[in-house]
Amino acid sequence: MGYNTGKLGFRGLSAALSMALAMGAAAEECQEFVDNLLSQMTIDEKIGQLTLPAAGDISTGTSRKTFVDQQVADGKIGGILNIRGAEKIRSIQEVAVEKSRLHIPLLIGMDVIHGYRTGFPIPLAQSCTWDIPAIEEAAAIAAKEASACGISWTFSPMVDISRDPRWGRQAEGAGEDPYLGSEVARAMVRGFQGDLSKDTQVLACLKHFALYGAAEAGRDYNTVDMSRQQMYNVYFPPYKAAVEEGVGSVMSSFNIVDGLHATANPWLLTEVLRNQWSFDGFVVTDYASINEMSTHGLGSDYDNSIAALKAGTDMDMISEGFARNLKKGVENGDIPEALIDSAVSRILTAKYRLGLFQNPYKYNNTEREKTDLYLPEARKAAKDMAAKSFVLLKNENSLLPLKAEGKILLTGPLADSGANLPGTWAGDVLLDQTKSVLESMREYVGNKCEILYAKGSNICDDPHVEWGMTVGGREMRDSRSAQEMLNEALEKAQSADVIVACLGEGGEGSGEGSSRADLTLPDAQQRLLEALVATGKPIVLLNFSGRATVLSHEDEVLPAIMNVWFGGSEAADAITEVVFGDICPSGKLTVSMPRSVGQIPVYYNHLMTGRPKIPYDAPYRPYSSNYLDIPNSPLYPFGYGLSYTNFDYSDFEISDTELKDNGVITASINVKNTGNRDADEIVQLYIRDVIRSIAPPVMELKGFQRLSLKAGESRRVSFDITPEMLKFYNYDLEFVAEPGQFDIMIGGSSDKTLKQSFEYKQ
Ligand code: NOJ
């Protein structure tokens, strides 16, 4: 089967390929096709397949250089990122397919992170739903929309574990837990890729491999240093899970791992990824990583390009290091051409899996671009998910839900700012048409009550601070003075019965390159809040954030706080419906919210110290592991989140106190909705290995279930515990379960569980 038998080659062969695909497209047929094509390629064409430049439609990195059509016609490019539109992409695909010698189609990549035209909540918020089917559906909808606009490859899922909210990219992942992170990673891969032969699915890209979320001091792009035990037990599981789920590509991370750049780290990219985990897709660098290796002090452009290929990188995003150096590398005898062949073969295989050789215009259906975007069912899924993602942190005297009566003052820089709501990586969401909370609430209450509005403050006052002041290039700063804005809010507060303050980060205050050292509310908003508190009116804080923030002061002075993250294009209606009680909040934190930045990293699955905090306030220095000024615990722990009802946990039983190899213990518990509203609860299962050969964490999430319970309803919830769930990577990195005592904890939050114990006997 030859592909390039002249200009008509691909059309002529399309029927044969169709048949092959229809018959199941056996791996050997794919291999045969790829080998055949490869055998006809010049070295320049091969290196072209490994080269991924950007188009300038959006900018996601520092380099401004973009590709030119001639490079495509010359077969010097394997794919393009940051280009939008079915028709526009079709015309460049035509150049690749019609004009290049071998007619090889391009991959078209884009960061479709949490929705495309329909904006879903940021990934961190999605994880707070603990709703795996909904997360899968969100990815499938994003794939459907993006693929209707010419995109065949998304740079998602981002599965980096993050224990440090100073890192702005905490927004893009599933939080601090390896088990939940793995479930989310799998769901997203399934959602994006599904059946890749369909034109509604896209290739996924697992990122950032590896450990990017552990950047020192929470500063983006910073270095990482970590033990192998922590890598294997905490940071690797979500990557591994996505590989097991069949993710088609992997992006290397920007950071150093064991002294080497992740992009040129053979242990990471070949030993772990390919040999240990059997990954069979291709590896792409992150944006300009090969260039950046020299800035790290890691050698010349030539050496770094060679080292990256040798380590297992297949495709070079932006740097053009492969384009400049690989041919020379072969000529100099520094790399065998066979190494280039392997990389090319993986990329051609991905194109084959996507069906691009059969139909290179599969993603350029301009009709679908008109009919498949922002559909009512997609918007409903996005709104439902947003509502499920909000985490009610405090609700004294059931201030929430509000009644639509009297006068409500809506205030804060996020109250009437639809463009901010989609948050970082807003995809192709129409920011100017995104409804604001004010618009939504006014629509909802009609003339049942009055919603007063005053912006109250900008995101912050400091003229040197840029973040949060613009969104997608739009200026969000109010030109009035801080005092004028404050006065207006105070005046309106006088006649209000209740105040809803929409405060927090701007939509671009978290995400890539958006680390923060102070995680409290910005200055201007603190002043606004203080002044509002002084009025004595009841205040509900809606905290908009792309990470865990520090709300210690607000927790002291306010009766009600709900974290609403950045909820996507439908966030405003979701907020309204939760605030007015049509929907009961059910989200639970997937990151611990610190009391103070000084506590970071603070996370639930920590190890014990030899000197745990003494449980009383000693008037002398206790020589224990604690702070003198604040408790060790976070303000709001992992797994925490309130509802408008209460759930009672009782009658925790286990089927046996001994677990044998190949055996199962069933742990079951009664969960009762004791309030008078129907609501959802997320029941969490944790296990503690009491004594083992490497220091165990105090608890680890091993299961969860989302339940819907009617008011007054009870349900018996059970989890099966197997020896597989007790396994961990030991000192020698063997994945084992060790005999001994284990505690099982079940509850509605990591800090509120009931406990049982059993013995594991081999
Ligand atoms: C850099 C980011 O780290 C990565 O997540 C993204 O996919 C690429 N830029 C491409 O935009």
Side-chain angles (χ1 to χ4, degrees), residues 621-668:
R621 184 184 304 226
Y623 291 102
S624 67
S625 179
N626 59 279
Y627 301 101
L628 294 176
D629 48 357
I630 54 170
N632 288 356
S633 60
L635 181 63
Y636 306 116
F638 177 86
Y640 171 82
L642 304 173
S643 166
Y644 293 157
T645 182
N646 287 306
F647 294 97
D648 183 54
Y649 286 72
S650 65
D651 303 316
F652 182 11
E653 284 171 354
I654 52 176
S655 59
D656 206 332
T657 50
E658 263 184 37
L659 176 64
K660 304 212 177 61
D661 247 357
N662 305 319
V664 180
I665 286 184
T666 302
S668 52

Side-chain angles (χ1 to χ4, degrees), residues 441-694:
M441 284 196 177
R442 283 198 168 145
E443 220 174 86
Y444 179 90
V445 301
N447 48 23
K448 278 191 277 185
C449 77
E450 195 179 346
I451 308 266
L452 307 169
Y453 168 70
K455 185 167 177 180
S457 80
N458 280 314
I459 294 279
C460 65
D461 282 340
D462 185 340
H464 304 294
V465 172
E466 284 301 317
W467 61 270
M469 294 309 186
T470 58
V471 175
R474 291 155 188 77
E475 175 64 51
M476 305 309 279
R477 209 183 311 244
D478 198 299
S479 57
R480 289 173 294 167
S481 74
Q483 197 57 49
E484 273 175 286
M485 292 169 77
L486 188 62
N487 291 346
E488 186 199 14
L490 286 177
E491 198 188 304
K492 294 194 173 161
Q494 293 313 320
S495 62
D497 300 301
V498 60
I499 298 170
V500 178
C502 297
L503 309 181
E505 304 181 314
E508 291 180 3
S510 51
E512 187 176 350
S514 301
S515 297
R516 290 177 60 198
D518 179 358
L519 297 179
T520 56
L521 284 173
D523 54 4
Q525 299 183 58
Q526 285 192 26
R527 278 193 292 277
L528 170 65
L529 199 59
E530 281 317 293
L532 294 172
V533 168
T535 65
K537 305 274 174 164
I539 301 176
V540 174
L541 167 62
L542 299 179
N543 187 48
F544 291 76
S545 74
R547 60 179 103 216
T549 54
V550 172
L551 295 172
S552 299
H553 177 66
E554 292 70 24
D555 182 72
E556 260 169 43
V557 300
L558 300 179
I561 307 177
M562 185 156 69
N563 226 79
V564 293
W565 314 107
F566 291 101
S569 57
E570 314 309 306
D573 285 347
I575 289 172
T576 299
E577 289 176 37
V578 173
V579 165
F580 288 105
D582 292 3
I583 304 176
C584 198
S586 57
K588 303 261 186 182
L589 291 176
T590 57
V591 278
S592 307
M593 304 242 322
R595 292 173 194 273
S596 152
V597 166
Q599 272 185 320
I600 295 171
V602 57
Y603 48 90
Y604 86 96
N605 48 354
H606 59 86
L607 307 188
M608 287 301 287
T609 79
R611 296 185 176 191
K613 181 167 165 38
I614 297 169
Y616 58 85
D617 290 329
Y620 51 85
R621 184 184 304 226
Y623 291 102
S624 67
S625 179
N626 59 279
Y627 301 101
L628 294 176
D629 48 357
I630 54 170
N632 288 356
S633 60
L635 181 63
Y636 306 116
F638 177 86
Y640 171 82
L642 304 173
S643 166
Y644 293 157
T645 182
N646 287 306
F647 294 97
D648 183 54
Y649 286 72
S650 65
D651 303 316
F652 182 11
E653 284 171 354
I654 52 176
S655 59
D656 206 332
T657 50
E658 263 184 37
L659 176 64
K660 304 212 177 61
D661 247 357
N662 305 319
V664 180
I665 286 184
T666 302
S668 52
I669 196 161
N670 269 0
V671 184
K672 179 168 188 196
N673 177 348
T674 57
N676 52 14
R677 298 184 56 110
D678 301 350
D680 287 3
E681 168 69 332
I682 297 158
V683 183
Q684 302 154 42
L685 164 79
Y686 297 90
I687 293 186
R688 174 178 187 170
D689 192 344
V690 179
I691 295 196
R692 73 181 196 191
S693 59
I694 63 166

Side-chain angles (χ1 to χ4, degrees), residues 60 81 111 155 169 207-208 251 254 286-287 425 512:
T60 61
L81 78 148
D111 291 280
F155 303 126
R169 303 197 78 171
K207 70 188 190 186
H208 304 82
M251 187 185 292
F254 282 130
D286 201 344
Y287 205 97
W425 294 121
E512 187 176 350

Side-chain angles (χ1 to χ4, degrees), residues 22-44:
M23 285 163 59
E28 305 99 76
E29 286 176 54
C30 170
Q31 194 57 54
E32 196 187 321
F33 176 83
V34 166
D35 289 348
N36 194 338
L37 188 52
L38 191 62
S39 70
Q40 300 166 47
M41 296 172 80
T42 65
I43 185 147
D44 292 317

